[in-house]
Amino acid sequence: MSQRDAFLSRISGALGRDRPPQLPPSAPPYSVGPPDEIAERAALVTDMMKRNADNLFATLAHVAESAGWNVARVPDPRAAGKRILEIAKDLEARLGVFSPHPIVRAALRADPFAGSGIELLPVALGLDESESPQRGRERLRAAMAVADLGITGVDYAIAETGTCVIIPKAGVSRLVSLLPPVHVALVERGQTLPSLDELFTLRRNDFMQGETRSYMNLITGPSRTADIEYTIVTGVHGPGEVHMILVG
Amino acid sequence: MQPRTTQFRQNSASALADERIQRNLAGLYSGFHSARIDASSATADWESLRARGHEIKSHVIENLDYYLNTLADSVERAGGHVFFAKDAEDASSYVVEVASKRGIDLVIKSKSMLSEEMGLNERLEAEGMEPVETDLGEYIIQLAGDTPFHIIAPAIHKSREEVSDLFTERLGAPRYEDIEDLTKEARRQLRQKFLAAGMGISGANFLVAETGTVALVTNEGNGRMVTSMPKVHIAIAGMEKVVPSIEDLAMFLRLLIRSATGQMLSSYVTAVTGPRLHDEEDGPEEFHLVIVDNGRSRILADEHLRESLLCLRCGACMNACPVYRKVGGHAYGWVYPGPIGAIVSPMLTGLSDGKDLPYASTLCGACKEACPVKIDMPRMLLYLRKELTQGDSYPEHRSADAAERLAVKGWRASASSDAAMRATNLAARLGQALLSRGGEISKMPGPLSGWTDHREFPRAQKPFRSRWPLGDDAARRPRDER
Ligand code: SF4
């Protein structure tokens, strides 16, 4: 008997049966709804996200502030680029790293950092074809470890909790929003979901469609701890200062 | 971690006499407890969320064999390895085997109470490896060679001065007065470890059966480091952590986080599904999930105690418990303190070892009230007391319990007749008058002394049951308001 079977048969025994049931237990009380309606529900969410974009954006700005983000609202990507430069100058930054999300590339297109003396480095493998992925990872990690700020886009934002959701993929590192002491997140109009429920509905739909990813981060304000005498300190292992720039 | 659950009485007496511990415990109530109440009242439909949470977790526990089977398939589909561990020894050996096969000696860890339960650090050290705790509280505990005081805030019993001494002594750091400087020092020290470690070990707050996802709730960012930086990530999880679908996470994250720290969401929630995919920028090459029984199937097999497996490990019952708030986490002598610890510790470490723990409660119901998944802890504590008093399997304790058992029996016999019960109550009140000074009973004789040695027992003015026919509301109101 395999180690897995032995384990499961002990569980079955504790529950008073011989082996695990082969079919799903009757009517699982899913908190939101059964899997066969998932595509429809996901479509409703996407639609609502677009229709209520303005309201959701306004709520997000408000809630994110109380969750510890520094929130700024700008009309377009170009203005976002200028805002990023201001943040970097305030920090007296020397090196910034960024994930080449489309919105970040748009914000940096007009080259706002030209002549500022601040270096900006894209974190993505394969930009230099002569470099092996292994070497590329090492080089980028070393850069991120000394960078003064990390700039990213987001996949979604959540109005209920003031959260940015980042799903790492090609061109989106797990570490740009983690290793540098300051994180700047650009959120576009139309990316805000009302609550956690809608996020997980969309993720479940992605999963059902076979679009899986190994990782997802929900980021709500700065890294913090209250482990010594309940005193809140930010910037323990992740960024102690976080900026959310709402674009559009 | 070696259980010291037999020593509840001694442990709690010394905690009660320790001013520093008493001061730090007071902070729990004003901090976490009130934050939880604020966060839950700010959540729409909190009560129906709790009911729903209870329902879904119960469903999973009743079908745990099915859901674990599904979960294992899903993790493997995502490219991860699954190991089912019968006990702590099994689980630790698996971790050691993975590490030694790859020649890894530096292991970074994010907070996991299961790892404490397994004694994983001791085991890794015995194999010549270096395990490093990276949650600030756990890091302090590890440097001090101490054990966690609270499942959410493990080092909350230590003052800044003690942490400062510890950092000077163990790390050669300068003496810092400031908590912020102490935190920065830990950041510097641990950054080096994050960059160099070959393996990251995390716990798991939830395991999603449908997708094979491990969900982690953290605030410091160490959970993200542990799951992103090293080449190998191992998540260790108690077998009860399963939820059916990723859609259930929304509700369970609200219930857990708002009950634990009172935040609307923790700084980070991380969802890990297998190792990094080939086109992803970074992340571990290997992912392992170790699912651990270690006595849990014993709890599962007991229908009266099965409900304790619903626990989300939020800590709310501890913060709410009048006993925990006086004696603190170390008194319970094992990884899980407070009301839920008083139930699961005796079951996981062996009932006779934890025989004092089910008595470490006033049965006031504050734990059940606070619990985000409505676990009926008072019911289970009573059940365990009954098992301990009536059980024949713990002969070494029988003589001590005989008097108490007789007393309960006597009460049962007399309660069956109204007149007899009135007579007994009268006798009891007369008996009390002899012992008490100024309305408080300071000592009970003989085997009942355990009930009064550490607290004043208010003298019954009127027998409890005689208040009901009179419609005396005072009996129904919580003590504070009387
Ligand atoms: S028993 Fe309930 S309140 Fe206590 S830690 Fe578990 S989930 Fe939280």
Side-chain angles (χ1 to χ4, degrees):
Chain A
M1 197 190 260
S2 80
Q3 153 249 7
R4 168 168 165 177
D5 289 343
F7 189 101
L8 291 177
S9 80
R10 196 168 57 249
I11 307 296
S12 301
L15 291 165
R17 52 182 168 240
D18 303 340
R19 67 174 78 85
Q22 289 309 299
L23 295 171
S26 62
Y30 287 115
S31 65
V32 186
D36 42 342
E37 297 162 3
I38 187 73
E40 284 164 48
R41 283 188 292 120
L44 285 177
V45 170
T46 318
D47 181 50
M48 179 225 309
M49 201 161 119
K50 299 278 176 256
R51 268 189 297 115
N52 293 341
D54 283 329
N55 283 340
L56 289 167
F57 224 23
T59 313
L60 173 69
H62 175 72
V63 179
E65 193 85 52
S66 59
W69 294 92
N70 300 290
V71 181
R73 193 152 179 187
V74 298
D76 52 39
R78 200 187 166 93
K82 283 198 190 132
R83 178 75 199 113
I84 300 171
L85 177 64
E86 282 166 24
I87 294 169
K89 279 187 170 159
D90 283 348
L91 294 169
E92 297 177 15
R94 299 220 307 261
L95 172 65
V97 289
F98 67 94
S99 291
H101 273 112
I103 181 66
V104 179
R105 275 195 266 114
L108 300 177
R109 190 158 297 134
D111 205 1
F113 278 65
S116 67
I118 305 170
E119 189 192 342
L120 275 186
L121 180 77
V123 176
L125 296 171
L127 297 178
D128 170 1
E129 283 187 3
S130 65
E131 186 182 57
S132 76
Q134 165 82 1
R135 272 217 48 114
R137 282 196 180 95
E138 280 164 21
R139 176 179 58 86
L140 291 170
R141 182 180 287 199
M144 285 187 277
V146 296
D148 301 295
L149 77 161
I151 306 153
T152 70
V154 307
D155 290 273
Y156 305 101
I158 302 174
E160 176 193 9
T161 48
T163 300
C164 285
V165 181
I166 300 181
I167 302 169
K169 48 181 99 53
V172 181
S173 157
R174 300 181 181 201
L175 302 174
V176 174
S177 57
L178 180 63
L179 290 183
V182 177
H183 173 210
V184 181
L186 305 188
V187 182
E188 296 169 79
R189 201 175 155 280
Q191 283 190 309
T192 314
L193 294 161
S195 79
L196 291 164
D197 293 311
E198 289 78 16
L199 172 69
F200 289 107
T201 297
L202 293 183
R203 292 303 290 153
R204 189 168 183 210
N205 185 48
D206 290 345
F207 174 79
M208 298 284 181
Q209 312 293 323
E211 291 166 35
T212 54
R213 282 285 152 206
S214 71
Y215 213 64
M216 172 167 72
N217 265 311
L218 279 58
I219 303 176
T220 309
S223 150
R224 59 192 129 202
T225 186
D227 273 357
I228 306 177
E229 297 186 3
Y230 309 98
T231 304
I232 294 180
V233 179
T234 59
V236 196
H237 298 302
E241 181 181 325
V242 291
H243 296 263
M244 190 188 276
I245 303 180
L246 308 182
V247 189
Chain B
M1 182 171 161
Q2 278 302 317
R4 287 177 296 113
T5 41
T6 46
Q7 296 152 30
F8 181 79
R9 286 167 209 227
Q10 298 95 295
N11 295 347
S12 52
S14 55
L16 283 167
D18 188 327
E19 256 178 58
R20 186 175 44 80
I21 290 186
Q22 292 303 313
R23 212 176 32 246
N24 294 335
L25 278 167
L28 264 183
Y29 199 65
S30 50
F32 290 158
H33 186 71
S34 7
R36 170 180 65 79
I37 291 171
D38 291 348
S40 54
S41 38
T43 304
D45 296 332
W46 181 252
E47 285 309 314
S48 62
L49 279 188
R50 288 176 75 205
R52 192 92 200 155
H54 182 96
E55 189 192 342
I56 293 179
K57 276 296 266 195
S58 303
H59 167 81
V60 171
I61 296 300
E62 296 293 334
N63 295 286
L64 194 57
D65 47 356
Y66 172 80
Y67 281 110
L68 284 173
N69 204 17
T70 313
L71 172 73
D73 287 343
S74 304
V75 172
E76 283 168 4
R77 205 185 319 110
H81 306 274
V82 182
F83 182 78
F84 283 96
K86 184 170 188 298
D87 52 26
E89 165 60 27
D90 248 16
S92 300
S93 302
Y94 181 77
V95 173
V96 166
E97 190 190 307
V98 174
S100 27
K101 249 195 216 148
R102 287 151 192 78
I104 293 168
D105 43 25
L106 179 59
V107 176
I108 51 171
K109 297 179 67 211
S110 65
K111 190 167 76 185
S112 155
M113 287 300 124
L114 175 59
S115 155
E116 296 281 348
E117 181 184 327
M118 287 160 52
L120 181 55
N121 288 355
E122 291 83 345
R123 179 64 196 279
L124 290 171
E125 277 161 10
E127 304 285 339
M129 298 169 190
E130 183 191 354
V132 180
E133 295 291 348
T134 60
D135 170 85
L136 179 58
E138 285 280 321
Y139 183 56
I140 294 169
I141 293 291
Q142 190 186 27
L143 287 176
D146 202 347
T147 53
F149 190 75
H150 187 280
I151 59 174
I152 302 297
I156 207 67
H157 57 301
K158 296 225 175 280
S159 65
R160 74 184 76 185
E161 292 79 17
E162 287 171 281
V163 177
S164 183
D165 289 346
L166 191 64
F167 280 15
T168 313
E169 193 184 309
R170 297 298 311 276
L171 306 171
R175 270 209 64 90
Y176 295 114
E177 302 294 322
D178 214 57
I179 294 177
E180 192 151 348
D181 292 332
L182 289 167
T183 309
K184 290 228 173 73
E185 179 65 30
R187 177 184 170 110
R188 265 194 300 278
Q189 298 277 347
L190 290 170
R191 227 357 128 82
Q192 301 314 312
K193 305 287 184 188
F194 285 131
L195 290 165
M199 174 184 282
I201 298 179
S202 73
N205 293 98
F206 301 103
L207 304 171
V208 181
E210 189 176 64
T211 54
T213 301
V214 175
L216 286 171
V217 170
T218 63
N219 272 306
E220 298 181 359
N222 59 325
R224 295 178 63 189
M225 296 278 193
V226 164
T227 56
S228 298
M229 304 278 285
K231 280 195 161 52
V232 180
H233 170 206
I234 300 189
I236 53 176
M239 65 185 206
E240 76 282 11
K241 295 282 178 191
V242 191
V243 299
S245 146
I246 198 147
E247 284 198 276
D248 297 311
L249 282 183
M251 176 187 64
F252 280 114
L253 288 171
R254 289 187 188 109
L255 286 172
L256 169 64
I257 295 164
R258 293 173 197 185
S259 302
T261 58
Q263 294 166 288
M264 293 309 272
L265 203 62
S266 52
S267 295
Y268 307 116
V269 172
T270 305
V272 180
T273 314
R276 79 154 178 259
L277 302 179
H278 69 278
D279 65 338
E280 290 176 355
E281 297 290 319
D282 34 37
E285 289 161 15
E286 262 178 58
F287 170 78
H288 303 254
L289 174 63
V290 181
I291 300 170
V292 184
D293 182 331
N294 205 35
R296 286 163 176 75
S297 52
R298 221 168 22 233
I299 301 182
L300 185 67
D302 188 328
E303 283 177 17
H304 301 279
L305 297 175
R306 198 173 275 175
E307 190 184 349
S308 62
L309 295 174
L310 271 53
C311 177
L312 310 181
R313 303 270 186 266
C314 73
C317 55
M318 290 154 219
N319 308 336
C321 175
V323 176
Y324 180 94
R325 270 173 16 223
K326 288 311 281 182
V327 305
H330 284 166
Y332 295 81
W334 206 51
V335 188
Y336 307 109
I340 191 65
I343 297 165
V344 301
S345 302
M347 288 304 288
L348 295 175
T349 63
L351 199 51
S352 58
D353 272 351
K355 81 177 265 305
D356 279 355
L357 294 183
Y359 291 90
S361 162
T362 64
L363 302 179
C364 69
C367 47
K368 184 184 176 187
E369 190 73 16
C371 179
V373 286
K374 299 179 101 153
I375 297 178
D376 193 346
M377 285 164 266
R379 178 186 63 73
M380 289 185 280
L381 288 166
L382 267 175
Y383 168 78
L384 278 170
R385 289 181 187 187
K386 191 169 117 259
E387 289 294 285
L388 284 164
T389 334
Q390 296 183 340
D392 286 331
S393 39
Y394 314 103
E396 72 271 34
H397 302 302
R398 287 199 67 191
S399 55
D401 291 331
E404 189 178 21
R405 211 164 57 234
L406 265 179
V408 171
K409 234 188 191 163
W411 182 82
R412 263 201 216 118
S414 68
S416 59
S417 136
D418 242 27
M421 187 157 172
R422 270 194 296 274
T424 318
N425 283 351
L426 181 66
R429 263 180 298 150
L430 286 174
Q432 277 183 27
L434 297 173
L435 299 162
S436 73
R437 314 226 186 300
E440 301 241 306
I441 300 176
S442 36
K443 270 271 184 278
M444 280 189 174
L448 296 180
S449 64
W451 291 54
T452 52
D453 272 356
H454 300 293
R455 63 183 178 278
E456 299 290 303
F457 212 67
R459 181 178 149 210
Q461 301 294 335
K462 224 193 274 182
F464 184 73
R465 69 184 276 292
S466 74
R467 296 184 207 180
W468 290 100
L470 299 172
D472 187 343
D473 266 356
R476 260 167 279 178
R477 253 182 276 134
R479 178 164 309 222
D480 298 352
E481 293 171 31
R482 262 183 250 156

